[in-house]
Amino acid sequence: MSQKPANLLVLPGDGVGPEVLLQCRRVMDWFSTHRALPLTIDEAIVGGASIDLHGVPIRPDVLQKARAADAILFGAVGGEKWDHLPLAQRPEASILTLRRALDLYANVRPAKCYSTLVAFSSLKPEIVAGLDLVIVREGTSGVYFGTPRGRETSKTGEVFAYDNQYYSTSQIERVCHFAFALAGQRKGRLCSVDKANVMETGALWREVFNRVAKAYPDIAISHMYADNCAMQLVRNPKQFDVIVTDNLFGDILSDCAAMLTGSLGMLPSASIGTLRADGQRCALYEPVHGSAPDIAGHNIANPLAMILSFAMCLRLSLARPREADELEKAVEQILSDGKMTADLCGPDQSPTSTTGIGDALLEALNANAIKK
Ligand code: IPM
Ligand code: MG
């Protein structure tokens, strides 16, 4: 029986986005050919590239394609060239629009320290060896999207600006349920992070989390203020299994967690939405690193965060956990063979290029496939 192809949308974006997605596509093609994984891959322009070509960060037809896709692979957006534009017209608006329009409320950001990379973390090896935590960041609300927001001039002529941190009960509930379910598949520990000591939204967050917790008696819960969590992440990150937090705290804490693993270039992410009528969830996969314009075009960017995001896609959208394991294992293998981009290399090591990592990964996948 022939299997219906999964319909994937690839959005390379700006800076290193296209380079890392190119290597990811080679890996996608490999799985398509060697693992009977029929994929229909469409590609579209977003971010600064779309501003240059069409005058907007994301066009309505691209948004429409994204809604219909089984999964979206997103590179990165942004760059100095567009920094002068008003916020709503900047490249970043494309990813924010996608998260909001597709209701991608659970942004899953795992931070895993590979044994071969322990030495590359800025923290002591014993602090990060074996680290394996996940941050579940709320992705559709909070201060990123709250209204009113804006900039005005007071009667005295002073310019002021304001953003609005907003959370409703149902928005908190659904992301908490997601995080509890995830903790149940892992070590069974969930830490909720807020500023309930200062913010109204924080107080509501905590109340709702505690209410949701009643449905998950097997999960060990804890609460932490966001500032303390930032400190605990660098003091003793292995105390965490799953962290659930709001949009802004999640943004900040996930960069912090990323660096524990040795490089921001290693961190994948998945943004998962509500169930569609066809029973599929909208989902977008992207590396946590940004567009890194300073290194773009030099074939030196680390494509592994993008490729590991595809591994998450295999597991979460394509129901191919074995293939996801296979890909993650190949990544571990090339790292332990010393194949690393410049962000991970010590002073005596010669770095592998972006394309070189793609080559090495395909070689490892082929070699392992023969061994099977
Ligand atoms: C991230 C990024 C985005 C965010 C930017 C590019 C809008 O930093 O995904 O963490 O702030 O959410
Ligand atoms: Mg960020």
Side-chain angles (χ1 to χ4, degrees), residues 77 92 95-96 99 109 137 144 251 254-255 286 288:
V77 288
E92 289 83 352
I95 181 66
L96 298 180
R99 288 181 191 157
R109 300 190 157 187
R137 166 189 178 190
Y144 272 62
D251 179 45
S254 61
D255 264 31
E286 61 176 320
V288 171

